[in-house]
Amino acid sequence: MKPRQPVSHAKPSARRTDAAERGDAPGALGAFPSVRLRRARSTPWSRRLVAEHRLGVDDLIWPLFVIEGSDKRVPIASMPGVERLSIDNIVASAEQAMQLGIPAIALFPNTEPRLRTEDAREAFNPENLVCRATRAVKAAGLDIGIVLDVALDPYTSHGHDGLIRGSEIANDETLEALVRQSLVQAEAGADILAPSDMMDGRVGAIRSALEDNGYANTLIMAYAAKYASAFYGPFRDAVGSSVTLASAQGQRDKRTYQMDPANSDEALREVALDLAEGADLIMVKPGMAYLDIVRRVAETFRVPTFGYQVSGEYAMLQAAANAGWLDGDAVMMESLLAFKRAGAAGILTYYAPRAAALLREKR
Ligand code: PBG
């Protein structure tokens, strides 16, 4: 008896694949000569057409540093190109932001050293720098959102975000101070309060105080997942808290309240709590090294999630750009787009005006 011929049940196309896998297919690309991802990349118009994510001016929030005086611009050594501005110049920057189409600015005070105290009372002085700056921008009739940080670090003699009792950052006593701070800021006209202090329970405390005092429409953007990061160094120079924090008795870092960079699940818990307590918007900070967190938060909660490209990230890119080692504009735009790709609704960035100007040119 003749041995049976082996019968192939494979479809002709599959047989072609086998042939290709053996390396004897005619096309240079092997099994799937028709799959060329480069086709859609080949022209500017086709790249635009297939782009999955886009950076727009509407995505930007511009952080600004406020100082006393008038007609003042004081450079910040560790943030080349960024200056502390007196209130008149803050108003001018707000006007510039509006002309560029930037939807919101964030104001941070460099409080005079004599006003920094153990009890941070300047934080709830209705005439403090950020409150006056906010009123000035509103008085100029500018239709732009104003974000104010809620935290005590620009006002404490020790540079911590909370009040110190004994050797501890006292959570619950700090909440009372944060509530008072929030109310003077809302009264001054702040549109968005951004608690950045990382005390437990602060969003709930602030939200109910706002409700009780006629500020039900004030938004809260919670720095929900804020990490104890060395990337904040230049910001602390800008607001003057590097010096105060270095002089603090005992603890000189913020690891007992800001998050451990080792953690990611914990960020989801922080966000869940802040949302339950009444946060409208969520922020993750720092940005570039934490885009995995932006992604997880945005996907898990489906709420507007903002990334903060912090001072150290700006300093890093800008230093390399100024040295001629990187193309500054290119890395700026690429880094900002990365936030969008991660799922961010928007980005706080010191590059906001430069990015907005470039986006405008492109159109
Ligand atoms: C204050 C605050 C910090 C930043 C924003 N709000 C610094 C800190 O927590 O020490 C950092 C922003 C930046 O680095 O650009 N609580």
Side-chain angles (χ1 to χ4, degrees):
M1 241 171 99
K2 268 170 75 184
R4 277 173 67 190
Q5 285 290 108
V7 178
S8 171
H9 298 287
K11 293 182 200 134
S13 62
R15 270 221 300 279
R16 259 207 312 277
T17 306
D18 293 343
E21 274 164 7
R22 284 197 307 273
D24 55 11
L29 298 186
F32 301 104
S34 59
V35 180
R36 291 182 183 271
L37 289 175
R38 290 184 55 190
R39 268 197 292 266
R41 292 177 201 145
S42 61
T43 59
W45 66 260
S46 62
R47 288 195 292 273
R48 272 197 288 139
L49 201 58
V50 302
E52 296 173 40
H53 299 280
R54 239 174 278 278
L55 177 70
V57 68
D58 297 335
D59 298 320
L60 303 172
I61 299 178
W62 184 13
L64 295 164
F65 298 106
V66 198
I67 46 167
E68 279 301 344
S70 67
D71 195 20
K72 280 212 176 123
R73 293 181 171 271
V74 181
I76 302 155
S78 52
M79 298 183 76
V82 178
E83 299 166 314
R84 306 177 186 94
L85 307 174
S86 52
I87 291 176
D88 50 336
N89 283 323
I90 291 285
V91 174
S93 290
E95 259 158 32
Q96 185 194 347
M98 256 197 70
Q99 271 153 22
L100 287 164
I102 295 171
I105 56 175
L107 302 178
F108 298 95
N110 181 302
T111 310
E112 289 179 283
R114 64 184 176 88
L115 297 174
R116 299 181 193 233
T117 57
E118 195 103 343
D119 61 3
R121 75 182 84 97
E122 182 67 2
F124 29 91
N125 171 7
E127 292 302 319
N128 70 22
L129 259 182
V130 283
C131 288
R132 276 181 284 136
T134 300
R135 279 195 212 96
V137 173
K138 293 293 173 185
L142 300 177
D143 185 19
I144 192 164
I146 300 182
V147 184
L148 296 184
D149 231 44
V150 182
L152 304 181
D153 54 317
Y155 307 103
T156 51
S157 45
H158 45 68
H160 277 294
D161 294 24
L163 301 173
I164 298 184
R165 293 289 176 264
S167 59
E168 305 237 314
I169 312 294
N171 194 88
D172 300 6
E173 280 171 71
T174 298
L175 294 188
E176 290 170 36
L178 296 173
V179 162
R180 293 180 67 184
Q181 179 182 24
S182 299
L183 291 176
V184 301
Q185 293 180 345
E187 200 274 324
D191 303 287
I192 304 181
L193 297 184
S196 76
D197 53 283
M198 289 301 278
M199 296 301 121
D200 286 321
R202 88 271 209 225
V203 171
I206 293 167
R207 174 56 77 210
S208 58
L210 291 174
E211 288 284 333
D212 293 347
N213 289 275
Y215 303 111
N217 291 329
T218 304
L219 290 151
I220 295 179
M221 177 189 284
Y223 285 71
K226 176 171 179 178
Y227 287 85
S229 172
F231 285 106
Y232 307 149
F235 173 98
R236 292 178 189 168
D237 296 342
V239 300
S241 67
S242 305
V243 179
T244 46
L245 196 59
S247 75
Q249 303 288 316
Q251 217 178 295
R252 290 187 189 141
D253 61 54
K254 302 188 176 181
R255 287 173 207 266
T256 68
Y257 45 104
Q258 298 180 347
M259 281 182 59
D260 184 344
N263 296 350
S264 166
D265 287 342
E266 188 190 356
L268 300 185
R269 263 187 105 184
E270 284 283 3
V271 171
L273 275 170
D274 285 0
L275 289 172
E277 291 176 27
D280 304 284
L281 314 167
I282 292 297
M283 198 203 298
V284 171
K285 181 178 170 200
M288 283 151 61
Y290 295 82
L291 291 181
D292 57 320
I293 308 299
V294 171
R295 156 68 66 185
R296 283 192 80 186
V297 169
E299 270 187 3
T300 305
F301 297 98
R302 298 276 160 203
V303 296
T305 304
F306 291 77
Y308 197 146
Q309 185 177 51
V310 299
S311 57
E313 304 176 58
Y314 172 86
M316 229 167 28
L317 296 181
Q318 205 49 37
N322 289 349
W325 297 335
L326 287 174
D327 177 338
D329 282 344
V331 292
M332 166 183 77
M333 295 308 259
E334 184 178 334
S335 65
L336 294 174
L337 183 60
F339 284 82
K340 295 295 292 178
R341 198 184 59 241
I347 308 129
L348 289 95
T349 176
Y350 301 96
Y351 280 123
R354 177 73 192 142
L358 280 191
L359 287 165
R360 167 165 294 204
E361 260 172 47
K362 251 183 33 184
R363 293 176 60 230

